């Protein structure tokens, strides 16, 4: 590039200074972002779409499991294995439903057994999808938990900002009566 070309290009504007946040930021929820705070930005439409998507996916997965079961029947694997597969999917789906539903109302402890249950939850994914569908009928999954955390953080921020009014060392001592 010649010197003439360098002089003709406009100078890039300096990056805007990042303003300090005016308080705590809400934690985004997958598929919803931060629209759950004020229920704006297509929140109701997203909830409806995600609920229907979870339900359709659960039905499709159930049909796929039905075809798999029929494949076992065609293969003449015996009644023990057929019943074992059905019981395995029923138990893992119920555990996945319970754990997924529980995760909407509380955060897992750092030393919890969630990592050990990943495989079981993957097998029982239909239970997780049904839990997601049912929660989307009421609110965004995890909204109640995040709203409580966000409101307490906002209240704490307001309390911290309002209690300090000036330099305490510059205050006059109270007069004795």
């Amino acid at each position: 590039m010649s010197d003439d070309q360098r002089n003709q290009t406009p100078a890039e504007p300096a990056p805007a200074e990042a303003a300090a946040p005016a308080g705590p930021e809400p934690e985004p929820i997958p598929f919803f972002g931060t629209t759950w705070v004020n229920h704006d930005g297509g929140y109701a439409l997203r909830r409806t779409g995600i609920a229907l998507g979870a339900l359709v996916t659960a039905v499709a997965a159930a049909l796929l499991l039905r075809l798999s079961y029929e494949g076992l029947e065609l293969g003449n694997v015996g009644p023990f294995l057929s019943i074992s597969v059905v019981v395995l999917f029923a138990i893992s789906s119920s555990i996945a439903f319970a754990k997924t539903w529980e995760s909407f109302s509380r955060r897992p402890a750092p030393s919890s057994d969630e990592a050990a249950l990943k495989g079981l939850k993957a097998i029982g994914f239909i239970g997780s999808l049904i839990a997601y569908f049912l929660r989307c009928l009421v609110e965004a999954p995890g909204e109640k938990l995040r709203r409580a955390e966000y409101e307490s953080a906002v209240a704490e921020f307001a309390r911290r900002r309002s209690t300090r009014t000036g330099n305490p060392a510059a205050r006059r001592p109270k007069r004795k009566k």
Side-chain angles (χ1 to χ4, degrees), residues 19-135:
E25 294 290 321
E27 182 181 351
I29 296 176
F31 304 116
F32 292 94
T34 56
T35 61
W36 60 269
V37 177
N38 297 322
H39 292 188
D40 59 352
Y43 171 80
L45 187 62
R46 288 182 191 197
R47 243 183 56 204
T48 304
I50 291 170
L52 289 175
L55 182 63
V56 167
T57 306
V59 169
L63 289 175
L64 184 65
L65 287 177
R66 171 76 179 158
L67 289 174
S68 300
Y69 179 77
E70 287 178 2
L72 289 174
E73 289 296 316
L74 288 175
N76 286 332
V77 294
F80 177 74
L81 186 60
S82 296
I83 292 172
S84 298
V85 168
V86 170
V87 169
L88 170 76
F89 277 105
I91 290 173
S92 60
S93 289
S94 63
I95 290 172
F97 177 88
K99 290 296 182 180
T100 303
W101 191 264
E102 185 180 285
S103 72
F104 297 145
S105 60
R106 70 172 180 84
R107 299 224 183 243
S111 63
S112 70
D113 58 344
E114 292 295 317
L117 292 176
K118 276 188 178 180
L120 191 62
K121 285 174 74 175
I123 293 170
F125 64 99
I126 293 176
S128 293
L129 289 170
I130 292 172
Y132 212 80
F133 164 72
L134 292 175
R135 183 55 83 155

